[in-house]
Amino acid sequence: SLAVYPVYIVHMPVQFFFSSLIFPLSSPVFVKLTLVLITTYGGSLLLFEIVRRFKWVRFLFGMKI
């Protein structure tokens, strides 16, 4: 699929960003885990869609121009 490599590239920075916002909250661990999973998935796909629309950035993510 076209999205595999770009999503793989961006998922760690996205996960780190949202984890740094969510982990300090005083919520149950299950809620934190669920929030991190949802935000990482959504943020990674959102960034993929943004990268996919700009041809001059695509090559940085291993996509055909």
Side-chain angles (χ1 to χ4, degrees), residues 2-23:
L2 181 65
V4 172
Y5 192 60
V7 170
Y8 174 74
I9 291 172
V10 300
H11 94 278
M12 271 312 278
V14 169
Q15 182 179 6
F16 181 77
F17 173 73
F18 285 116
S19 295
S20 66
L21 296 177
I22 293 170
F23 285 164

Side-chain angles (χ1 to χ4, degrees), residues 20-60:
S20 66
L21 296 177
I22 293 170
F23 285 164
L25 300 175
S26 60
S27 299
V29 175
F30 180 74
V31 172
K32 291 179 184 181
L33 173 64
T34 304
L35 284 174
V36 168
L37 288 173
I38 291 170
T39 56
T40 300
Y41 182 78
S44 297
L45 290 180
L46 177 68
L47 280 174
F48 165 71
E49 285 297 323
I50 292 170
V51 166
R52 189 172 70 103
R53 296 176 195 277
F54 293 104
K55 290 185 178 183
W56 57 274
V57 179
R58 294 175 70 138
F59 76 95
L60 295 172

